[in-house]
């Protein structure tokens, strides 16, 4: 306990407060019961979408995935805090009670996973949150205001006393370590996690020749951070979600992200006069970005354009044939 008290004092004395917006740190832990080729225990820590730490029970040490710090003493303190957290998580997931529980079920390999972390919203810390899952089924969630257990797993319902003890540990130990570690990495990796990349937005319209259905897609790409609000409107009114196809937020090769929304419009509706808007808000934008497209007369632009291209090619071919015939006739006259 003395080591933890000293650590918390050092953390508060060495970490700079940074006005950052909303950021988080999460630790993903996995404990495997049974024989596999994988480490018995492993843990990965992410600040937003940047991996900063890795540990597994084979190498038995924390590996930093971020660049070396110029302030070595401060980094040592951060790693000390991370080591304490890893020890607690490892010992808790390896508890004999868990082994006995799995022994009472089917033989083979079983997996216990834990997600734990905290959020900073403009330097205001949120509560620490912890989730547990066994063999892919959510079992327990715990934070400063809520403790829920899956009723299918009554073996893990805590007594009131046990819940109170864990709550005090969250408040007095894990919350300060989590928040100060997050602040440290936000300062250390600010060129990555605090950067802002503006989204490039396009509204793409495509008509199916067979059905006449028009698909209007709103594509946003090249943005960072990954949080983005992308909506589609019809005549300035939000289109219900059930009418849209939502694309996932996917990473690009350059560290930015992309996402999309797609609306299918029937041939009858496409002939009506409507204005469709792709509206985007993002931290890198001072104001929302709107791109418009109007249906009606322009709904079959893609089909008309294709027909025009074909006609032009036919005309070019006709002129080429005629020129070749004239050339042949002149050659014979010579």
């Amino acid at each position: 306990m003395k080591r933890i008290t000293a650590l918390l004092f050092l953390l508060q004395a060495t970490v700079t407060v940074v006005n950052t917006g909303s950021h988080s740190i999460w630790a993903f832990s996995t404990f495997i019961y049974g024989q596999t080729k994988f480490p018995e225990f492993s843990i990965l820590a992410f600040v937003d979408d940047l991996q900063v730490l890795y540990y597994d029970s084979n190498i038995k040490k924390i590996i930093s995935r971020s660049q070396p710090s110029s302030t070595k003493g401060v980094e040592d303190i951060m790693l000390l805090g991370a080591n304490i957290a890893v020890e607690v998580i490892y010992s808790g997931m390896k508890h004999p009670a868990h082994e006995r529980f799995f022994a009472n079920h089917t033989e083979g390999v079983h997996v216990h996973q834990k997600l734990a972390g905290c959020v900073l919203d403009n330097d205001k810390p949120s509560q620490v949150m912890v989730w547990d899952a066994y063999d892919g089924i959510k079992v327990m969630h715990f934070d400063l205001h809520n403790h829920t257990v899956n009723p299918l797993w009554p073996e893990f319902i805590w007594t009131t006393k046990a819940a109170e003890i864990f709550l005090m540990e969250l408040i007095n130990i894990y919350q300060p370590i989590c928040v100060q570690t997050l602040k440290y990495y936000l300062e250390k990796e600010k060129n990555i996690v605090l950067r802002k990349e503006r989204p490039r937005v396009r509204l793409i319209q495509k008509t199916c020749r067979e059905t006449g259905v028009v698909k209007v897609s709103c594509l946003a790409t090249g943005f960072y951070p990954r949080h983005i609000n992308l909506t589609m409107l019809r005549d300035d009114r939000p289109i219900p979600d059930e009418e849209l196809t939502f694309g996932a937020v996917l990473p690009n090769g350059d560290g930015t992200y992309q996402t999309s929304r797609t609306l299918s419009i029937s041939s009858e509706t496409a002939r009506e006069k409507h204005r469709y808007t792709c509206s985007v808000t993002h931290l890198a934008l001072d104001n929302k970005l709107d791109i418009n497209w109007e249906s009606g007369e322009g709904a079959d632009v893609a089909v008309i354009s294709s027909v025009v291209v074909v006609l032009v090619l036919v005309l070019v071919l006709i002129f080429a044939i005629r020129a070749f015939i004239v050339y042949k006739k002149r050659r014979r006259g010579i």
Side-chain angles (χ1 to χ4, degrees), residues 213-277:
V213 172
V214 179
K215 286 193 174 183
V216 181
S217 297
C218 179
L219 173 65
T221 187
F223 56 88
Y224 190 92
R226 72 190 306 273
H227 305 291
I228 192 169
N229 185 18
L230 191 157
T231 57
M232 294 187 72
L233 303 94
R234 181 190 295 113
D235 300 329
D236 298 326
R237 295 182 178 180
I239 298 173
D241 289 348
E242 54 266 23
E243 296 184 33
L244 299 174
T245 301
F246 286 73
V249 178
L250 301 173
N252 293 319
D254 59 358
T256 61
Y257 291 91
Q258 63 171 296
T259 191
S260 64
R261 303 284 185 273
T262 300
L263 173 69
S264 294
I265 308 171
S266 67
S267 56
E268 294 80 10
T269 304
R271 285 191 287 269
E272 299 173 0
K273 195 70 174 179
H274 292 290
R275 184 177 71 256
Y276 295 90
T277 303

Side-chain angles (χ1 to χ4, degrees), residues 113-318:
Q113 294 173 300
K114 184 184 293 287
L115 171 63
C118 58
V119 178
L120 269 179
D121 192 359
N122 290 317
D123 290 328
K124 295 180 180 178
S126 79
Q127 54 194 345
V128 170
M129 292 163 278
V130 182
W131 287 266
D132 282 88
Y134 290 84
D135 290 341
I137 300 174
K138 180 181 174 182
V139 174
M140 182 170 58
H141 167 236
F142 200 104
D143 58 42
L144 301 185
H145 304 293
N146 183 33
H147 176 212
T148 59
V149 176
N150 188 326
L152 298 176
W153 301 71
E155 295 90 341
F156 293 98
I157 296 177
W158 292 354
T159 64
T160 301
K161 185 63 176 178
E164 289 177 353
I165 292 173
F166 187 63
L167 180 62
M168 294 303 297
E169 290 176 347
L170 282 184
I171 295 173
N172 297 312
I173 299 175
Y174 305 119
Q175 174 91 0
I177 290 177
C178 187
V179 171
Q180 297 303 322
T181 303
L182 174 55
K183 288 182 178 180
Y184 167 76
Y185 279 108
L186 286 177
E187 175 63 28
K188 182 182 179 183
E189 304 292 348
K190 60 184 176 183
N191 291 336
I192 299 176
V193 297
L194 300 185
R195 78 186 195 277
K196 296 178 181 179
E197 302 285 349
R198 289 172 56 89
R200 301 187 300 275
V201 183
R202 291 190 297 165
L203 198 58
I204 304 170
Q205 173 259 325
K206 184 178 180 181
T207 303
C208 177
R209 294 186 183 182
E210 291 77 16
T211 63
V213 172
V214 179
K215 286 193 174 183
V216 181
S217 297
C218 179
L219 173 65
T221 187
F223 56 88
Y224 190 92
R226 72 190 306 273
H227 305 291
I228 192 169
N229 185 18
L230 191 157
T231 57
M232 294 187 72
L233 303 94
R234 181 190 295 113
D235 300 329
D236 298 326
R237 295 182 178 180
I239 298 173
D241 289 348
E242 54 266 23
E243 296 184 33
L244 299 174
T245 301
F246 286 73
V249 178
L250 301 173
N252 293 319
D254 59 358
T256 61
Y257 291 91
Q258 63 171 296
T259 191
S260 64
R261 303 284 185 273
T262 300
L263 173 69
S264 294
I265 308 171
S266 67
S267 56
E268 294 80 10
T269 304
R271 285 191 287 269
E272 299 173 0
K273 195 70 174 179
H274 292 290
R275 184 177 71 256
Y276 295 90
T277 303
C278 176
S279 184
V280 177
T281 57
H282 186 262
L283 285 175
L285 298 171
D286 295 329
N287 300 297
K288 70 174 182 176
L289 178 62
D290 291 342
I291 296 179
N292 299 311
W293 173 75
E294 292 192 3
S295 62
E297 294 180 359
D300 294 319
V301 171
V303 175
I304 294 172
S305 299
S306 299
V307 173
V308 170
V309 170
V310 171
L311 289 175
V312 169
L313 291 174
V314 170
L315 290 174
V316 169
L317 181 60
I318 292 172

